[in-house]
Amino acid sequence: TSKLLIMSRLRQLVLCARDLDAATKKVCDELDTYVTFRDPSLEGFGLQNVLLPVGSSFLEIVSPIRKNVTADRYLNKFGEGGYMVILQ
């Protein structure tokens, strides 16, 4: 297992926030980055998102647009912050 982790690279970090616009502005200002993509297909899962380039990786911020979807339950239990790490 450790060999797999050493060979993997960080592709994407995902944050979860209640207010997507406010979180996006704060992260873009702090990291001097910009929104490169929004995925409209996530609405089917009750989410909205933004994708931000950071170095050779991406930072994604997701926000629930419906109650009781996974991201909403996560926010209710843990609050805003780290949600996922995606390795490649």
Side-chain angles (χ1 to χ4, degrees):
T1 318
S2 60
K3 184 177 181 180
L4 174 65
L5 290 177
I6 291 170
M7 293 173 51
S8 297
R9 78 169 187 89
L10 176 65
R11 179 179 182 275
Q12 193 167 328
L13 290 175
V14 184
L15 304 177
C16 193
R18 286 267 176 225
D19 185 336
L20 182 63
D21 292 335
T24 300
K25 180 177 180 354
K26 184 174 183 175
V27 170
C28 284
D29 289 349
E30 290 290 324
L31 299 180
D32 191 30
T33 191
Y34 55 92
V35 174
T36 188
F37 184 70
R38 293 176 188 263
D39 188 350
S41 71
L42 291 182
E43 290 179 10
F45 298 100
L47 295 173
Q48 58 184 348
N49 81 324
V50 295
L51 209 58
L52 315 167
V54 178
S56 63
S57 300
F58 292 96
L59 178 63
E60 181 178 13
I61 306 172
V62 297
S63 183
I65 55 174
R66 288 197 313 251
K67 295 284 184 198
N68 208 32
V69 295
T70 303
D72 182 59
R73 292 191 304 269
Y74 180 89
L75 286 169
N76 290 335
K77 186 171 183 176
F78 300 107
E80 296 183 311
Y83 187 54
M84 260 188 281
V85 173
I86 301 171
L87 301 174
Q88 186 174 37

